Amino acid sequence: MAGVRSHGYGSHEHKAGSILLARSLGKAMPNFVTAVYTDGWPKDPHALDGFDCIVMYCDGGGRHMVNPHLAQVDAYAKSGVGIVALHYGVEVEVSPSGGKFLDWMGGYFEAHWSVNPHWTANYRKFPKHPVTRGVKPFSVNDEWYYHMRFRPDMKGVTPILTDLPPASTLVKEDGSLARPDNAHNNNPHVREAVLVRKEPQHMAWASVNEGGGRGFGFTGGHNHWNWGNPNQLKVVLNAITWCAQAEVPVDGVPAAEVTLDELLVNQDYGPRPDFDAGRIVAMLDQWHGRQTLPLVPAAEPAQPETKSPAAKNSAALFQSGVIRKTAAGQSVDIQVKLNGAGKIYLVVTDGGDGFGCDWADWVNPRFTGPAGEKSLTELKWKTATAGFGSVHVNANAAGRKPSVGGKPVEKCLGTHANSIIEYEVPAGMTHFRTQGALDDSGTQQGCGSTVTFAVYTTKPPALSPGPVAAGNGSHDSRDALSQLDVAQGLQAELFASEPVMSNPTNIDIDHLGRVWVCEVLNYRRFRNKDFPERKAGDRILVLEDVDQDGILDAKVFHQGRDVNSAHGICVLPTPDGRGTRALISCADKVFFLIDDDGDLKSDRREILFTGISGTEHDHGIHAFVFGPDGKLYFNFGNAGQQ
């Protein structure tokens, strides 16, 4: 039984996880009959009659779907039906559900007693029990609940997965609480058990109950991707088989390898913008012995490197790994020995997924040495560039108050990837210290926010994804080709540039190979002496090399203030095939500019709809695209609103 949808993509995927478990069990044990009920308790009150085992994978506590059905499940359990609870499904309120869970499966998550941190558990030894047959040592990062409330003296309970959680799940290095005392995060009882008595904790357990029924509790399962771990999967399949009073094979339930495609289907939510399928594939490869690379946990991305890996760039005194927002934070500590250098270059680059939302702060940047300490916020930089906004002192890239992880930052250099900030090193300074951090203005947008930090004492190489983003490139069209990286076997040629057209915001290519361009100069506050307001309005251009001489021929299809700040164009034929319809997304409107007679001049306008918000905003209206299914696809950003 799968509970209702819960946490978001890749987490608490009750439906997808339940379907995967049922399919795996059905393939391995062909004499089994399985059924999956989704979105909570089955509507049919007799749906569960006749089954040998009930598996509950759902949200818990006061919202647990079993709460209104305790008497029904108690009758099943007393008749010998096995009861299994997975992840949040092991948590119920103390009374009356807690007592029933002790009867059915020997333990449960009790608020203000148990805790729910994310950490990497290492399971190395297993008891001799049918549930552990064929299970090999494994390590998985998950939200492993621990310090369960068990029956007195563990009567009838066999711990299956056991490890001593790291102290960092409870306290920081300075002794302060890693998370505050409350119902789930921390409490004095668990600190006494783990930090003082150092008692290993049980994250999965099996129980034999009065009357002969069996139960199993499993606290992992927050991260959907971990069902691809063959040993975790085998533990749970073995447990379901055992709880159903069936014989577990001598080498365990022979589950087939779970593929990425199988993990991706049936989830309640669509992928996040920063979803990295490659990371999941790498985990699966490692779990199945196809590589020996360090494991990158699914929910807690790899922690940034805190040393300067020479293999990455020998010229950098420091270079971090990819910094992203995680439960553990969104920053990296940096300390660099300057070795007598006269200059320092602070570099922020995107994390390999483009530089959208890559707001970054150099927090409390300072030189130290025999001459004392000097904050870079009190010095004047030599040069400073940012891929978006500007470099600011004690403000983020947009000039607003900086914050990291919800906490305000007093001293910082605020910037945005890709960025280089150059300083001269004052006399008597031997070290540079700072914290490289993601600014909340980027992480709160939800579109990636992944950066790397690097420190150089010589001029760094050109930044990816290109010199223009870093502010170092030429805007002269004569230099355009020399600034491109062209794939082997391909050749790039300049087709169109200023002054024939300027600032294209969107293009489409029609069936004759003509390039249609939204040419926008009249765009909010960005007009200046180089690009003054065009009184006649913006233009829709058609670019074509008519005589194939390599020289561009341009034609103005439409000009007017009705296409000022056009953000999208989709070119379609008229129904009779004689003319063209250019579907324009502009301001708050979507409309056709129609050329009825085929002379590449718009003859009339036909408005389809209005009301998209975010007029003249990058996150507002966008383009229509004609799909291979004959449908038109349209999107708008968060500023569009409706």
Side-chain angles (χ1 to χ4, degrees):
M1 294 189 295
V4 298
R5 69 179 194 165
S6 178
H7 277 45
Y9 189 66
S11 302
H12 286 227
E13 290 288 358
H14 305 134
K15 178 177 70 174
S18 296
I19 292 172
L20 188 152
L21 288 169
R23 285 180 177 173
S24 298
L25 192 63
K27 290 178 182 178
M29 308 291 282
N31 60 318
F32 278 25
V33 175
T34 62
V36 178
Y37 297 96
T38 60
D39 296 320
W41 200 265
K43 302 298 185 290
D44 180 358
H46 301 291
L48 305 181
D49 293 352
F51 283 100
D52 296 299
C53 182
I54 296 170
V55 181
M56 295 180 287
Y57 192 9
C58 58
D59 282 353
R63 302 194 303 274
H64 202 298
M65 62 183 178
V66 80
N67 290 334
H69 306 281
L70 294 176
Q72 180 183 356
V73 177
D74 194 48
Y76 289 138
K78 286 178 177 177
S79 70
V81 174
I83 306 297
V84 175
L86 306 177
H87 196 49
Y88 201 178
V90 304
E91 181 186 345
V92 289
E93 295 174 315
V94 174
S95 179
S97 302
K100 294 300 181 183
F101 267 51
L102 290 177
D103 293 341
W104 301 341
M105 57 186 199
Y108 72 100
F109 183 111
E110 180 182 306
H112 299 288
W113 176 263
S114 309
V115 291
N116 65 345
H118 283 265
W119 56 290
T120 299
N122 296 291
Y123 301 120
R124 296 291 178 249
K125 295 181 179 180
F126 308 103
K128 187 175 182 180
H129 191 280
V131 174
T132 64
R133 289 177 183 171
V135 179
K136 299 177 181 179
F138 68 103
S139 177
V140 169
N141 181 282
D142 209 323
E143 187 182 28
W144 292 109
Y145 306 161
Y146 66 82
H147 203 238
M148 297 293 106
R149 176 66 75 182
F150 291 110
R151 291 174 188 160
D153 301 321
M154 299 290 284
K155 182 179 180 181
V157 177
T158 300
I160 299 297
L161 298 181
T162 301
D163 190 21
L164 179 63
S168 59
T169 59
L170 299 173
V171 295
K172 299 178 182 178
E173 290 185 0
D174 62 4
S176 62
L177 296 184
R179 301 191 299 171
D181 281 351
N182 56 35
H184 296 92
N185 289 349
N186 220 328
N187 62 73
H189 312 291
V190 72
R191 291 195 293 275
E192 176 72 19
V194 172
L195 302 180
V196 179
R197 298 195 300 270
K198 298 189 182 304
E199 296 174 350
Q201 300 296 306
H202 311 310
M203 278 61 72
W205 63 95
S207 73
V208 177
N209 312 325
E210 289 189 15
R214 297 171 178 176
F216 178 74
F218 178 82
T219 74
H222 176 96
N223 298 338
H224 177 63
W225 320 111
N226 290 344
W227 293 120
N229 185 291
N231 290 292
Q232 173 175 308
L233 181 63
K234 186 178 286 285
V235 165
V236 175
L237 296 182
N238 286 351
I240 296 172
T241 301
W242 179 75
C243 286
Q245 306 279 353
E247 179 64 24
V248 179
V250 64
D251 293 322
V253 175
E257 178 177 340
V258 177
T259 66
L260 176 64
D261 288 342
E262 290 174 304
L263 290 168
L264 292 175
V265 298
N266 300 314
Q267 295 198 44
D268 290 318
Y269 297 87
R272 301 191 309 261
D274 62 347
F275 174 64
D276 184 358
R279 190 177 77 239
I280 310 304
V281 171
M283 285 179 11
L284 296 174
D285 284 343
Q286 188 195 24
W287 287 336
H288 289 277
R290 289 188 289 268
Q291 64 178 22
T292 57
L293 297 176
L295 175 64
V296 182
E300 297 297 325
Q303 291 302 302
E305 299 162 11
T306 57
K307 295 181 180 180
S308 171
K312 284 197 169 184
N313 196 314
S314 59
L317 292 185
F318 172 89
Q319 184 165 339
S320 74
V322 176
I323 310 300
R324 50 172 57 89
K325 184 177 181 180
T326 71
Q330 58 197 60
S331 63
V332 59
D333 291 326
I334 301 170
Q335 179 174 325
V336 172
K337 188 176 181 181
L338 298 176
N339 299 321
K343 289 186 176 182
I344 192 171
Y345 300 83
L346 311 182
V347 177
V348 179
T349 55
D350 72 81
D353 56 357
F355 59 98
C357 301
D358 287 350
W359 301 58
D361 298 325
W362 297 90
V363 179
N364 192 20
R366 59 204 185 276
F367 293 118
T368 62
E373 181 173 297
K374 192 69 174 179
S375 174
L376 273 67
T377 61
E378 301 170 3
L379 301 173
K380 187 174 181 179
W381 56 62
K382 294 286 291 181
T383 59
T385 62
F388 170 81
S390 304
V391 179
H392 289 280
V393 174
N394 300 333
N396 64 24
R400 298 192 293 265
K401 292 182 178 180
S403 65
V404 174
K407 298 179 180 180
V409 173
E410 297 299 327
K411 285 187 176 184
C412 76
L413 301 173
T415 188
H416 189 292
N418 289 321
S419 168
I420 301 177
I421 310 173
E422 175 189 0
Y423 278 92
E424 290 185 346
V425 179
M429 300 297 174
T430 58
H431 290 78
F432 170 69
R433 293 178 169 87
T434 188
Q435 184 182 61
L438 292 170
D439 190 273
D440 290 338
S441 289
T443 59
Q444 291 172 358
Q445 294 184 47
C447 60
S449 295
T450 58
V451 306
T452 63
F453 292 90
V455 178
Y456 295 79
T457 53
T458 58
K459 190 172 182 179
L463 298 184
S464 174
V468 174
N472 297 329
S474 167
H475 291 262
D476 192 316
S477 61
R478 293 171 296 184
D479 299 324
L481 294 179
S482 65
Q483 296 177 146
L484 293 178
D485 288 330
V486 182
Q488 186 175 2
L490 298 181
Q491 179 177 333
E493 295 182 4
L494 185 64
F495 180 68
S497 65
E498 303 87 344
V500 174
M501 66 161 192
S502 297
N503 200 37
T505 58
N506 194 232
I507 67 171
D508 195 17
I509 302 175
D510 67 14
H511 65 294
L512 297 177
R514 298 176 299 199
V515 181
W516 295 64
V517 180
C518 295
E519 184 196 45
V520 171
L521 297 187
N522 297 333
Y523 184 61
R524 41 179 207 195
R525 64 182 181 276
F526 297 112
R527 293 184 289 270
N528 54 45
K529 63 180 178 61
D530 296 319
F531 291 99
E533 180 180 7
R534 186 157 51 189
K535 300 295 184 182
D538 283 331
R539 304 191 299 181
I540 306 298
L541 302 178
V542 183
L543 309 180
E544 183 181 17
D545 183 2
V546 176
D547 52 11
Q548 298 294 300
D549 63 353
I551 300 175
L552 173 69
D553 303 292
K555 191 163 189 175
V556 178
F557 178 77
H558 182 89
Q559 182 169 15
R561 302 190 71 81
D562 56 345
V563 294
N564 276 359
S565 188
H567 277 45
I569 183 170
C570 177
V571 184
L572 305 168
T574 55
D576 60 11
R578 295 182 57 218
T580 304
R581 296 175 295 167
L583 186 54
I584 306 297
S585 305
C586 182
D588 71 331
K589 298 179 179 63
V590 175
F591 53 87
F592 277 119
L593 292 175
I594 302 173
D595 167 22
D596 290 310
D597 53 14
D599 64 353
L600 288 183
K601 292 284 187 182
S602 64
D603 297 311
R604 55 192 173 93
R605 186 173 74 153
E606 180 182 304
I607 295 179
L608 296 189
F609 59 82
T610 66
I612 300 294
S613 297
T615 297
E616 292 201 0
H617 196 294
D618 296 348
H619 298 192
I621 200 167
H622 295 310
F624 276 81
V625 176
F626 182 77
D629 53 2
K631 296 178 181 178
L632 286 169
Y633 290 81
F634 172 59
N635 71 304
F636 53 87
N638 55 289
Q641 296 184 7
Q642 77 276 323

